[in-house]
mmCIF file of all heavy atoms in Angstrom:
data_model
loop_
_atom_site.group_PDB
_atom_site.id
_atom_site.type_symbol
_atom_site.label_atom_id
_atom_site.label_comp_id
_atom_site.label_asym_id
_atom_site.label_seq_id
_atom_site.Cartn_x
_atom_site.Cartn_y
_atom_site.Cartn_z
ATOM 1 N N GLY A 6 -297.163 36.014 -60.002
ATOM 2 C CA GLY A 6 -298.502 35.644 -59.595
ATOM 3 C C GLY A 6 -298.539 34.887 -58.307
ATOM 4 O O GLY A 6 -299.603 34.810 -57.649
ATOM 5 N N GLY A 7 -297.420 34.315 -57.881
ATOM 6 C CA GLY A 7 -297.387 33.570 -56.616
ATOM 7 C C GLY A 7 -297.067 34.416 -55.434
ATOM 8 O O GLY A 7 -297.007 33.916 -54.287
ATOM 9 N N ILE A 8 -296.814 35.736 -55.666
ATOM 10 C CA ILE A 8 -296.562 36.632 -54.527
ATOM 11 C C ILE A 8 -297.896 37.244 -54.084
ATOM 12 O O ILE A 8 -298.463 38.056 -54.803
ATOM 13 C CB ILE A 8 -295.583 37.760 -54.935
ATOM 14 C CG1 ILE A 8 -294.307 37.130 -55.510
ATOM 15 C CG2 ILE A 8 -295.181 38.629 -53.742
ATOM 16 C CD1 ILE A 8 -293.344 38.100 -56.122
ATOM 17 N N ARG A 9 -298.371 36.862 -52.911
ATOM 18 C CA ARG A 9 -299.753 37.174 -52.569
ATOM 19 C C ARG A 9 -299.942 38.345 -51.594
ATOM 20 O O ARG A 9 -301.051 38.757 -51.330
ATOM 21 C CB ARG A 9 -300.446 35.900 -52.021
ATOM 22 C CG ARG A 9 -300.270 34.726 -52.847
ATOM 23 C CD ARG A 9 -300.776 34.950 -54.266
ATOM 24 N NE ARG A 9 -302.184 34.720 -54.420
ATOM 25 C CZ ARG A 9 -302.799 34.583 -55.583
ATOM 26 N NH1 ARG A 9 -302.126 34.653 -56.706
ATOM 27 N NH2 ARG A 9 -304.097 34.332 -55.631
ATOM 28 N N ALA A 10 -298.867 38.842 -51.011
ATOM 29 C CA ALA A 10 -298.990 39.959 -50.043
ATOM 30 C C ALA A 10 -297.618 40.631 -49.938
ATOM 31 O O ALA A 10 -296.576 39.968 -50.156
ATOM 32 C CB ALA A 10 -299.477 39.428 -48.680
ATOM 33 N N PRO A 11 -297.576 41.847 -49.509
ATOM 34 C CA PRO A 11 -296.255 42.539 -49.262
ATOM 35 C C PRO A 11 -295.690 42.155 -47.906
ATOM 36 O O PRO A 11 -296.409 41.620 -47.062
ATOM 37 C CB PRO A 11 -296.632 44.022 -49.314
ATOM 38 C CG PRO A 11 -298.061 44.085 -48.820
ATOM 39 C CD PRO A 11 -298.703 42.822 -49.322
ATOM 40 N N LEU A 12 -294.435 42.405 -47.731
ATOM 41 C CA LEU A 12 -293.811 42.258 -46.387
ATOM 42 C C LEU A 12 -293.767 43.638 -45.778
ATOM 43 O O LEU A 12 -292.982 44.499 -46.141
ATOM 44 C CB LEU A 12 -292.398 41.720 -46.492
ATOM 45 C CG LEU A 12 -292.214 40.183 -46.590
ATOM 46 C CD1 LEU A 12 -290.723 39.852 -46.687
ATOM 47 C CD2 LEU A 12 -292.849 39.476 -45.377
ATOM 48 N N GLU A 13 -294.644 43.869 -44.824
ATOM 49 C CA GLU A 13 -294.740 45.189 -44.213
ATOM 50 C C GLU A 13 -293.707 45.288 -43.072
ATOM 51 O O GLU A 13 -293.376 44.334 -42.403
ATOM 52 C CB GLU A 13 -296.151 45.383 -43.570
ATOM 53 C CG GLU A 13 -297.304 45.193 -44.543
ATOM 54 C CD GLU A 13 -297.436 46.405 -45.461
ATOM 55 O OE1 GLU A 13 -296.671 47.345 -45.381
ATOM 56 O OE2 GLU A 13 -298.369 46.371 -46.333
ATOM 57 N N LEU A 14 -293.181 46.507 -42.887
ATOM 58 C CA LEU A 14 -292.232 46.734 -41.828
ATOM 59 C C LEU A 14 -293.042 47.074 -40.555
ATOM 60 O O LEU A 14 -293.666 48.086 -40.421
ATOM 61 C CB LEU A 14 -291.338 47.942 -42.160
ATOM 62 C CG LEU A 14 -290.288 48.308 -41.145
ATOM 63 C CD1 LEU A 14 -289.308 47.142 -40.918
ATOM 64 C CD2 LEU A 14 -289.528 49.564 -41.579
ATOM 65 N N LYS A 15 -292.897 46.153 -39.616
ATOM 66 C CA LYS A 15 -293.555 46.365 -38.308
ATOM 67 C C LYS A 15 -292.525 46.819 -37.248
ATOM 68 O O LYS A 15 -291.319 46.815 -37.535
ATOM 69 C CB LYS A 15 -294.241 45.022 -37.881
ATOM 70 C CG LYS A 15 -295.330 44.573 -38.807
ATOM 71 C CD LYS A 15 -296.070 43.367 -38.355
ATOM 72 C CE LYS A 15 -295.172 42.145 -38.362
ATOM 73 N NZ LYS A 15 -295.931 40.902 -38.026
ATOM 74 N N GLU A 16 -293.032 47.150 -36.090
ATOM 75 C CA GLU A 16 -292.139 47.602 -35.001
ATOM 76 C C GLU A 16 -291.065 46.544 -34.719
ATOM 77 O O GLU A 16 -291.374 45.395 -34.475
ATOM 78 C CB GLU A 16 -292.948 47.882 -33.753
ATOM 79 C CG GLU A 16 -292.137 48.521 -32.662
ATOM 80 C CD GLU A 16 -292.987 48.936 -31.463
ATOM 81 O OE1 GLU A 16 -294.254 48.811 -31.541
ATOM 82 O OE2 GLU A 16 -292.409 49.331 -30.434
ATOM 83 N N GLY A 17 -289.816 46.987 -34.727
ATOM 84 C CA GLY A 17 -288.709 46.074 -34.512
ATOM 85 C C GLY A 17 -288.288 45.289 -35.749
ATOM 86 O O GLY A 17 -287.302 44.551 -35.689
ATOM 87 N N GLY A 18 -289.002 45.416 -36.804
ATOM 88 C CA GLY A 18 -288.704 44.709 -38.054
ATOM 89 C C GLY A 18 -288.930 43.210 -38.026
ATOM 90 O O GLY A 18 -288.495 42.476 -38.900
ATOM 91 N N GLU A 19 -289.663 42.759 -36.997
ATOM 92 C CA GLU A 19 -289.834 41.286 -36.859
ATOM 93 C C GLU A 19 -290.775 40.707 -37.888
ATOM 94 O O GLU A 19 -291.784 41.336 -38.257
ATOM 95 C CB GLU A 19 -290.381 40.982 -35.438
ATOM 96 C CG GLU A 19 -289.364 41.249 -34.304
ATOM 97 C CD GLU A 19 -289.904 40.785 -32.997
ATOM 98 O OE1 GLU A 19 -291.157 40.558 -32.868
ATOM 99 O OE2 GLU A 19 -289.114 40.630 -32.035
ATOM 100 N N LEU A 20 -290.454 39.503 -38.383
ATOM 101 C CA LEU A 20 -291.287 38.790 -39.321
ATOM 102 C C LEU A 20 -291.668 37.487 -38.651
ATOM 103 O O LEU A 20 -290.859 36.747 -38.105
ATOM 104 C CB LEU A 20 -290.551 38.472 -40.591
ATOM 105 C CG LEU A 20 -290.195 39.598 -41.540
ATOM 106 C CD1 LEU A 20 -289.463 39.074 -42.740
ATOM 107 C CD2 LEU A 20 -291.496 40.295 -41.997
ATOM 108 N N THR A 21 -292.945 37.203 -38.684
ATOM 109 C CA THR A 21 -293.443 35.903 -38.172
ATOM 110 C C THR A 21 -293.608 34.932 -39.313
ATOM 111 O O THR A 21 -293.625 35.312 -40.505
ATOM 112 C CB THR A 21 -294.765 36.057 -37.440
ATOM 113 O OG1 THR A 21 -295.806 36.481 -38.394
ATOM 114 C CG2 THR A 21 -294.684 37.111 -36.326
ATOM 115 N N PHE A 22 -293.765 33.651 -38.973
ATOM 116 C CA PHE A 22 -294.045 32.655 -39.958
ATOM 117 C C PHE A 22 -295.318 33.032 -40.708
ATOM 118 O O PHE A 22 -295.400 32.828 -41.944
ATOM 119 C CB PHE A 22 -294.220 31.309 -39.297
ATOM 120 C CG PHE A 22 -294.513 30.149 -40.222
ATOM 121 C CD1 PHE A 22 -293.498 29.398 -40.760
ATOM 122 C CD2 PHE A 22 -295.808 29.868 -40.598
ATOM 123 C CE1 PHE A 22 -293.759 28.363 -41.676
ATOM 124 C CE2 PHE A 22 -296.122 28.853 -41.485
ATOM 125 C CZ PHE A 22 -295.090 28.069 -42.027
ATOM 126 N N ALA A 23 -296.322 33.573 -40.031
ATOM 127 C CA ALA A 23 -297.560 33.938 -40.647
ATOM 128 C C ALA A 23 -297.359 35.070 -41.666
ATOM 129 O O ALA A 23 -297.992 35.060 -42.773
ATOM 130 C CB ALA A 23 -298.581 34.398 -39.582
ATOM 131 N N ASP A 24 -296.464 35.984 -41.384
ATOM 132 C CA ASP A 24 -296.148 37.061 -42.349
ATOM 133 C C ASP A 24 -295.585 36.481 -43.666
ATOM 134 O O ASP A 24 -295.931 36.865 -44.737
ATOM 135 C CB ASP A 24 -295.133 38.070 -41.740
ATOM 136 C CG ASP A 24 -295.679 38.832 -40.552
ATOM 137 O OD1 ASP A 24 -296.882 39.089 -40.582
ATOM 138 O OD2 ASP A 24 -294.898 39.165 -39.659
ATOM 139 N N VAL A 25 -294.652 35.565 -43.485
ATOM 140 C CA VAL A 25 -293.997 34.936 -44.645
ATOM 141 C C VAL A 25 -295.000 34.096 -45.388
ATOM 142 O O VAL A 25 -295.038 34.089 -46.647
ATOM 143 C CB VAL A 25 -292.784 34.077 -44.233
ATOM 144 C CG1 VAL A 25 -292.185 33.381 -45.390
ATOM 145 C CG2 VAL A 25 -291.749 34.979 -43.531
ATOM 146 N N TYR A 26 -295.814 33.361 -44.666
ATOM 147 C CA TYR A 26 -296.799 32.496 -45.348
ATOM 148 C C TYR A 26 -297.833 33.321 -46.108
ATOM 149 O O TYR A 26 -298.309 32.863 -47.188
ATOM 150 C CB TYR A 26 -297.491 31.600 -44.278
ATOM 151 C CG TYR A 26 -298.345 30.526 -44.915
ATOM 152 C CD1 TYR A 26 -297.787 29.349 -45.352
ATOM 153 C CD2 TYR A 26 -299.744 30.653 -45.030
ATOM 154 C CE1 TYR A 26 -298.537 28.340 -45.929
ATOM 155 C CE2 TYR A 26 -300.525 29.699 -45.634
ATOM 156 C CZ TYR A 26 -299.930 28.534 -46.052
ATOM 157 O OH TYR A 26 -300.686 27.558 -46.650
ATOM 158 N N ALA A 27 -298.209 34.465 -45.599
ATOM 159 C CA ALA A 27 -299.120 35.355 -46.344
ATOM 160 C C ALA A 27 -298.580 35.767 -47.694
ATOM 161 O O ALA A 27 -299.315 35.925 -48.653
ATOM 162 C CB ALA A 27 -299.475 36.563 -45.488
ATOM 163 N N VAL A 28 -297.252 35.995 -47.718
ATOM 164 C CA VAL A 28 -296.544 36.367 -48.935
ATOM 165 C C VAL A 28 -296.493 35.172 -49.894
ATOM 166 O O VAL A 28 -296.721 35.287 -51.127
ATOM 167 C CB VAL A 28 -295.114 36.858 -48.658
ATOM 168 C CG1 VAL A 28 -294.339 37.012 -49.963
ATOM 169 C CG2 VAL A 28 -295.209 38.167 -47.913
ATOM 170 N N TYR A 29 -296.223 33.954 -49.384
ATOM 171 C CA TYR A 29 -295.895 32.812 -50.169
ATOM 172 C C TYR A 29 -296.672 31.603 -49.667
ATOM 173 O O TYR A 29 -296.067 30.708 -49.036
ATOM 174 C CB TYR A 29 -294.360 32.603 -49.987
ATOM 175 C CG TYR A 29 -293.668 31.822 -51.061
ATOM 176 C CD1 TYR A 29 -293.429 32.392 -52.300
ATOM 177 C CD2 TYR A 29 -293.189 30.548 -50.796
ATOM 178 C CE1 TYR A 29 -292.752 31.670 -53.268
ATOM 179 C CE2 TYR A 29 -292.490 29.804 -51.750
ATOM 180 C CZ TYR A 29 -292.303 30.402 -52.994
ATOM 181 O OH TYR A 29 -291.638 29.678 -53.991
ATOM 182 N N PRO A 30 -297.944 31.515 -49.935
ATOM 183 C CA PRO A 30 -298.808 30.508 -49.317
ATOM 184 C C PRO A 30 -298.889 29.203 -50.016
ATOM 185 O O PRO A 30 -299.683 28.338 -49.634
ATOM 186 C CB PRO A 30 -300.172 31.201 -49.269
ATOM 187 C CG PRO A 30 -300.188 32.004 -50.508
ATOM 188 C CD PRO A 30 -298.760 32.503 -50.677
ATOM 189 N N PHE A 31 -298.124 29.033 -51.073
ATOM 190 C CA PHE A 31 -298.298 27.783 -51.908
ATOM 191 C C PHE A 31 -297.210 26.781 -51.548
ATOM 192 O O PHE A 31 -296.078 27.090 -51.253
ATOM 193 C CB PHE A 31 -298.250 28.111 -53.367
ATOM 194 C CG PHE A 31 -299.285 29.158 -53.801
ATOM 195 C CD1 PHE A 31 -298.902 30.431 -54.124
ATOM 196 C CD2 PHE A 31 -300.608 28.840 -53.800
ATOM 197 C CE1 PHE A 31 -299.843 31.390 -54.454
ATOM 198 C CE2 PHE A 31 -301.567 29.750 -54.208
ATOM 199 C CZ PHE A 31 -301.175 31.030 -54.501
ATOM 200 N N ASN A 32 -297.587 25.510 -51.729
ATOM 201 C CA ASN A 32 -296.662 24.403 -51.492
ATOM 202 C C ASN A 32 -295.820 24.169 -52.786
ATOM 203 O O ASN A 32 -295.866 23.076 -53.358
ATOM 204 C CB ASN A 32 -297.420 23.157 -51.100
ATOM 205 C CG ASN A 32 -296.503 22.032 -50.677
ATOM 206 O OD1 ASN A 32 -295.381 22.265 -50.179
ATOM 207 N ND2 ASN A 32 -296.921 20.821 -50.856
ATOM 208 N N ASN A 33 -295.140 25.222 -53.257
ATOM 209 C CA ASN A 33 -294.360 25.140 -54.480
ATOM 210 C C ASN A 33 -293.081 24.324 -54.219
ATOM 211 O O ASN A 33 -292.525 24.318 -53.146
ATOM 212 C CB ASN A 33 -293.995 26.515 -54.949
ATOM 213 C CG ASN A 33 -295.173 27.286 -55.485
ATOM 214 O OD1 ASN A 33 -296.171 26.727 -55.826
ATOM 215 N ND2 ASN A 33 -295.083 28.583 -55.454
ATOM 216 N N ARG A 34 -292.606 23.688 -55.311
ATOM 217 C CA ARG A 34 -291.329 22.975 -55.237
ATOM 218 C C ARG A 34 -290.324 23.733 -56.113
ATOM 219 O O ARG A 34 -290.642 24.265 -57.198
ATOM 220 C CB ARG A 34 -291.504 21.560 -55.809
ATOM 221 C CG ARG A 34 -292.375 20.693 -54.917
ATOM 222 C CD ARG A 34 -292.401 19.273 -55.468
ATOM 223 N NE ARG A 34 -293.218 18.409 -54.611
ATOM 224 C CZ ARG A 34 -293.371 17.117 -54.788
ATOM 225 N NH1 ARG A 34 -292.739 16.507 -55.772
ATOM 226 N NH2 ARG A 34 -294.137 16.405 -53.976
ATOM 227 N N LEU A 35 -289.111 23.874 -55.624
ATOM 228 C CA LEU A 35 -288.014 24.503 -56.396
ATOM 229 C C LEU A 35 -287.449 23.453 -57.321
ATOM 230 O O LEU A 35 -287.114 22.363 -56.895
ATOM 231 C CB LEU A 35 -286.977 25.051 -55.451
ATOM 232 C CG LEU A 35 -287.468 26.124 -54.439
ATOM 233 C CD1 LEU A 35 -286.295 26.646 -53.601
ATOM 234 C CD2 LEU A 35 -288.155 27.298 -55.175
ATOM 235 N N VAL A 36 -287.309 23.869 -58.614
ATOM 236 C CA VAL A 36 -286.800 22.949 -59.616
ATOM 237 C C VAL A 36 -285.602 23.550 -60.245
ATOM 238 O O VAL A 36 -285.574 24.695 -60.596
ATOM 239 C CB VAL A 36 -287.904 22.672 -60.691
ATOM 240 C CG1 VAL A 36 -287.330 21.803 -61.802
ATOM 241 C CG2 VAL A 36 -289.120 22.101 -60.067
ATOM 242 N N THR A 37 -284.535 22.740 -60.361
ATOM 243 C CA THR A 37 -283.338 23.202 -61.103
ATOM 244 C C THR A 37 -283.222 22.482 -62.428
ATOM 245 O O THR A 37 -283.596 21.322 -62.544
ATOM 246 C CB THR A 37 -282.056 22.947 -60.290
ATOM 247 O OG1 THR A 37 -281.981 21.572 -59.997
ATOM 248 C CG2 THR A 37 -282.071 23.750 -58.985
#
């Protein structure tokens, strides 16, 4: 439910911070 968008393959395969943030926009904490 926390995955909010796909990672699309753009020209050159580049990913921007905005691309990653669109996928994962929450201020989640990793817990072990």
Side-chain angles (χ1 to χ4, degrees):
I8 305 173
R9 309 305 274 194
L12 275 181
E13 304 285 1
L14 180 63
K15 297 185 292 187
E16 187 175 353
E19 292 185 344
L20 290 179
T21 65
F22 180 92
D24 294 327
V25 176
Y26 189 81
V28 171
Y29 202 74
F31 303 108
N32 188 27
N33 291 337
R34 294 185 179 184
L35 300 182
V36 177
T37 57

